[in-house]
Amino acid sequence: MREGGCTSRFFLLVFFGCALVFPGTATQAASANSESKCKEVLIAQEKPTVDPPTTQSAEPASNPPVTQAKTETEQYTLSHKRYEKAVAYSRAGYVLYFISIVLGLSIVWLFLRFGIAAKIRDFAERLTEQRFLQGLIFIPILIFSIGLLELPVHLYWHSLSLRYQQSVQGWNSWFLDWLKGEALFVGISVVLGLLLYFLIRKSPQRWWLFFWLCALPILFFVFFISPWFIDPIFHKFEPLDRTNPELVTAIEKVTQRAGLSIPRDKMFLMRASEKTNQINAYVTGVGASKRVVVWDNTINKTTQDETLFIFGHEAGHYVLGHVRNGFLFFASAFLVATYVGYRALHVFLEKWGANWKIYGPQDWASLAVLLLIFEAFAFAGTPVESAFSRMQEHDADVFGLEVIHGIVPNSGEVAAHAFQVLGQEDLSDPNPPPFVTFWLYGHPPLADRLVFAHSYDPWSKGQSPRYVK
């Protein structure tokens, strides 16, 4: 999946704050693929999509939303066949997203309605009287059971990705990655779940505040170490200076102009082609763990100038303080969510606790109630999150255009062409429904980004650039 929202698994991640932990690729049509991890990044690819009659994508566009432009990158253009595939693939993703929400909420509700959460609690309490050990039994069983029941949605999305040639990952490899992701998720959930219920018992009225205060540094630490210990679990990395020293030299020019200090030994090549046809380049980590990552697909399929624009966009997120702002936004939302969870938990237990066989907030089985509350909260807050992200992504587009100006000839055309090929190769929706854009899109629609990149030129108008003077 690409630019857009995330899955019901992400709503569990929001509850535990793990959105900081699993950085991944951009999302467009939200789906249930757990590998996406919902960290949005700029993606681009290569080659003209009009003119050469020998390629499929060179067929003239025949649909109103993507009419032929005066030049190949003034507008987002697709061949008729490619247009149909892009619409079908994107719309399938939208539908699957909402199915995943309903499924996620339904599973947790059924766990409560039929007393499954209470039975898991009883099982843990029969095995041991020590509360700590009960948590070590109850939390993994509950979290993994929910994940297992959501697996069919993940399986279907991966089958769609294979059918539309967005993924090349075999089923064995995909399932192994799913198991790795579940193991990480369960492990972090256990740590935070034990902390949560310790605080509920110690401070029944203020646990929501103390949990927020304790969870944030833990999650930030996991985000800090993820480039070293989590990312390599899913992908292979090697020094970029060893494979593409000339690209490293070019990236250094951009980092210097952007005011970023990233040594050559902090730039890496990721072997993404083993699992996906998409391309990407990004900056990840913070402090000592900060690094540049370029996917091998990017180097193989784009020009160096296009790669520099992609990197310039990502550099903008750091220079413009988006990592800091994103963390503050998340922290604020997380604080509101914990307080809402505290208030709603009491209301739910007073009304339905007896039917669910849950005897109070300190009861292990109340975790299922909190999951239900926070899944609903995260779903309702998705438009706010998407709007915040779209704003930052647009600013990063501006920064990317400005930072490569003078380094890359005809930088606006380079950026516009990158967006054109992104749409062609990644089947970006040429005309997403306004409601879907409002609710799901964490980036502006690709067609809008392309037009902006092609037209943004403050230098020729005697105006001052917004960020890079």
Side-chain angles (χ1 to χ4, degrees):
M1 67 181 187
R2 295 153 297 155
E3 295 177 350
C6 304
T7 70
S8 58
R9 292 299 285 158
F10 176 63
F11 299 134
L12 299 180
L13 293 172
V14 168
F15 166 58
F16 282 126
C18 297
L20 296 173
V21 173
F22 296 113
T25 62
T27 58
Q28 180 199 37
S31 76
N33 184 358
S34 59
E35 291 89 74
S36 66
K37 319 297 187 306
C38 303
K39 176 191 171 187
E40 294 181 298
V41 290
L42 178 70
I43 305 176
Q45 208 167 34
E46 57 144 2
K47 299 194 166 109
T49 58
V50 295
D51 291 342
T54 58
T55 63
Q56 174 184 339
S57 58
E59 301 169 20
S62 58
N63 295 276
V66 285
T67 54
Q68 181 71 27
K70 294 179 180 179
T71 69
E72 67 184 41
T73 49
E74 283 187 9
Q75 295 182 24
Y76 177 31
T77 62
L78 291 174
S79 69
H80 176 76
K81 185 174 182 179
R82 203 70 177 172
Y83 175 91
E84 297 295 336
K85 289 183 68 175
V87 170
Y89 181 63
S90 299
R91 305 304 161 91
Y94 305 149
V95 172
L96 196 59
Y97 163 76
F98 289 103
I99 290 175
S100 73
I101 298 303
V102 174
L103 178 64
L105 291 170
S106 298
I107 289 172
V108 180
W109 181 81
L110 290 172
F111 268 55
L112 293 168
R113 173 65 177 81
F114 293 101
I116 298 174
K119 291 177 181 177
I120 299 173
R121 175 207 60 208
D122 293 342
F123 172 74
E125 290 178 346
R126 283 197 302 270
L127 290 180
T128 178
E129 294 182 357
Q130 296 186 25
R131 187 165 175 83
F132 177 79
L133 295 179
Q134 291 172 0
L136 288 179
I137 297 169
F138 173 83
I139 297 173
I141 294 176
L142 178 67
I143 298 298
F144 185 75
S145 297
I146 293 172
L148 192 63
L149 291 173
E150 291 179 337
L151 180 59
V153 181
H154 298 262
L155 292 170
Y156 183 69
W157 177 257
H158 186 59
S159 70
L160 278 179
S161 299
L162 291 171
R163 184 191 312 169
Y164 286 93
Q165 299 177 326
Q166 297 301 292
S167 174
V168 295
Q169 187 176 17
W171 282 105
N172 290 339
S173 173
W174 180 90
F175 189 69
L176 181 60
D177 276 356
W178 180 83
L179 287 174
K180 293 176 184 176
E182 286 297 309
L184 284 170
F185 180 79
V186 168
I188 296 172
S189 298
V190 167
V191 172
L192 294 177
L194 291 172
L195 172 64
L196 171 64
Y197 279 87
F198 171 79
L199 293 172
I200 288 176
R201 288 172 66 87
K202 291 296 183 180
S203 180
Q205 304 301 319
R206 295 287 183 268
W207 64 260
W208 57 275
L209 178 60
F210 295 138
F211 178 67
W212 178 77
L213 290 171
C214 294
L216 283 181
I218 294 174
L219 295 166
F220 185 81
F221 174 74
V222 178
F223 173 69
F224 172 73
I225 67 172
S226 63
W228 293 322
F229 300 106
I230 295 180
D231 295 353
I233 294 176
F234 299 95
H235 297 285
K236 298 176 182 177
F237 297 85
E238 56 186 287
L240 186 61
D241 198 20
R242 187 172 66 196
T243 59
N244 300 86
E246 69 290 342
L247 178 59
V248 172
T249 300
I251 289 177
E252 282 184 321
K253 295 179 182 178
V254 178
T255 58
Q256 290 171 5
R257 190 172 188 193
L260 283 174
S261 178
I262 303 180
R264 296 175 75 96
D265 61 357
K266 295 292 186 179
M267 301 183 187
F268 293 88
L269 178 78
M270 191 180 93
R271 297 294 180 183
S273 59
E274 298 175 0
K275 298 180 179 180
T276 180
N277 282 324
Q278 294 181 337
I279 67 172
N280 195 12
Y282 60 91
V283 180
T284 187
V286 63
S289 68
K290 182 166 41 175
R291 60 189 57 200
V292 172
V293 177
V294 181
W295 291 11
D296 58 348
N297 290 337
T298 307
I299 295 174
N300 295 336
K301 299 178 179 181
T302 65
T303 67
Q304 180 170 290
D305 289 347
E306 291 168 345
T307 301
L308 292 180
F309 169 67
I310 299 169
F311 172 77
H313 169 100
E314 292 304 322
H317 285 306
Y318 272 78
V319 176
L320 301 178
H322 290 174
V323 175
R324 176 202 63 218
N325 296 342
F327 182 81
L328 293 175
F329 176 85
F330 161 76
S332 301
F334 192 27
L335 178 61
V336 174
T338 54
Y339 181 72
V340 169
Y342 161 72
R343 303 293 295 188
L345 179 62
H346 286 277
V347 173
F348 278 40
L349 292 183
E350 286 178 6
K351 192 168 185 177
W352 295 294
N355 293 336
W356 294 340
K357 298 181 177 63
I358 299 175
Y359 308 115
Q362 76 284 351
D363 190 330
W364 288 116
S366 70
L367 178 59
V369 183
L370 286 171
L371 292 178
L372 182 66
I373 294 168
F374 281 100
E375 285 201 30
F377 178 88
F379 175 67
T382 298
V384 178
E385 176 194 356
S386 297
F388 178 79
S389 178
R390 283 196 303 270
M391 177 183 66
Q392 290 199 323
E393 293 299 333
H394 175 72
D395 290 345
D397 284 347
V398 174
F399 186 92
L401 286 162
E402 293 180 355
V403 79
I404 66 170
H405 182 75
I407 298 176
V408 171
N410 201 5
S411 55
E413 171 66 20
V414 167
H417 184 259
F419 285 127
Q420 165 62 42
V421 183
L422 162 62
Q424 175 192 330
E425 300 297 333
D426 286 357
L427 299 178
S428 295
D429 193 338
N431 190 26
F435 173 76
V436 171
T437 301
F438 162 76
W439 198 273
L440 295 180
Y441 270 48
H443 293 67
L446 184 135
D448 296 345
R449 300 175 78 187
L450 187 153
V451 171
F452 176 81
H454 191 273
S455 61
Y456 183 72
D457 187 10
W459 304 276
S460 67
K461 302 174 184 176
Q463 300 173 352
S464 176
R466 191 183 305 176
Y467 301 119
V468 185
K469 308 302 181 181

